Amino acid sequence: METTLYIPPLGLAGQFGTPAAGFEAAVVFAHGTSSGRTSPRNVRVAARLREAGFATLLMDLLTEEEKADPANQFDVHRQSERLLLAVRHLRATTAVERKPIGFFGAGSGAASALIAAGRAAEHDGIGAVVCRGGRPDLAEEWLNAVAAPTLLVVGGKDAPALDLNNDAFARLHCTKALEVVPGAGRLFEETGKLDQVADSARSWFATHLLKAANG
């Protein structure tokens, strides 16, 4: 089941989806530049996660007006704050409540997810992070603060992203893994490659979120 969820006071919308059989953990998606809750790649990954028993939230991190200014698209600190507001709203208004929550970040959203996870150690508690390609390096000093188990997934044909992810990986001090998907480019558009990302994300979240939910 999917419902539209509005996150005040930002006026941003999200699609909150839950499996018919219920769920024990949720995953919040952080999109990359100029993208939002309708991102086809993240919509597909979210559907696979719901099949595996996770609730999902795909939300816009920028308003339409903000998207028109290119400077806003890489404002990962503002977007990380909005992710944390979404987490608090989920806990306060939905059946997520105190269930474990993870982040799935794509593109520059990888940095937003990692910054939010680093900040969440103070009060919100994020249980796991998965980043698909993108720019985790933009999280900068917040990489040192990430406590949640973190998986970085990179396309084997995306040499620039591989270098940036290797650098970010070295700076993480949490439980971590770096997975290179052979033959995949920046957007994982090749046949079957995005499904590999979804399978890896499902396994990572099952290990680190469902394990926490079940004690």
Side-chain angles (χ1 to χ4, degrees):
M1 180 179 70
E2 289 192 72
T3 58
T4 300
L5 188 70
Y6 291 94
I7 294 94
L10 304 173
L12 296 173
Q15 291 301 119
F16 181 56
T18 56
F23 64 96
E24 295 299 326
V27 177
V28 178
F29 282 69
H31 309 286
T33 55
S34 72
S35 188
R37 68 186 190 276
T38 59
S39 163
R41 284 173 289 278
N42 285 346
V43 165
R44 184 170 170 181
V45 173
R48 294 287 294 273
L49 290 177
R50 287 194 299 275
E51 290 172 0
F54 297 94
T56 58
L57 175 64
L58 295 100
M59 63 174 288
D60 295 328
L61 294 175
L62 297 174
T63 66
E64 291 303 315
E65 293 77 11
E66 289 169 340
K67 288 180 183 179
D69 183 350
N72 291 325
Q73 295 179 9
F74 283 95
D75 190 347
V76 293
H77 293 278
R78 174 192 292 184
Q79 293 173 39
S80 70
E81 175 64 27
R82 293 178 176 184
L83 284 174
L84 292 177
L85 288 172
V87 167
R88 294 166 203 161
H89 189 65
L90 275 180
R91 294 203 186 283
T93 64
T94 74
V96 171
E97 297 179 328
R98 300 310 304 172
K99 292 180 173 66
I101 290 179
F103 285 141
F104 183 98
S108 60
S112 302
L114 288 165
I115 294 170
R119 294 180 56 189
E122 304 168 8
H123 41 67
D124 292 296
I126 298 303
V129 180
V130 175
C131 296
R132 172 177 62 80
R135 298 294 306 275
D137 60 297
L138 293 175
E140 298 178 329
E141 69 274 9
W142 283 103
L143 289 167
N144 295 323
V146 176
T150 298
L151 170 66
L152 306 180
V153 186
V154 193
K157 297 196 300 183
D158 189 2
L162 185 55
D163 289 341
L164 294 171
N165 276 261
N166 274 318
D167 177 66
F169 183 77
R171 296 163 62 189
L172 289 167
H173 301 295
C174 54
T175 298
K176 60 184 180 178
L178 174 64
E179 178 180 343
V180 179
V181 179
R186 183 174 67 87
L187 298 178
F188 296 85
E189 294 177 306
E190 299 82 3
T191 302
K193 300 306 180 183
L194 190 62
D195 290 335
Q196 290 185 44
V197 175
D199 289 344
S200 295
R202 180 180 60 190
S203 177
W204 192 261
F205 288 133
T207 298
H208 298 289
L209 292 183
L210 295 185
K211 182 178 179 180
N214 295 321

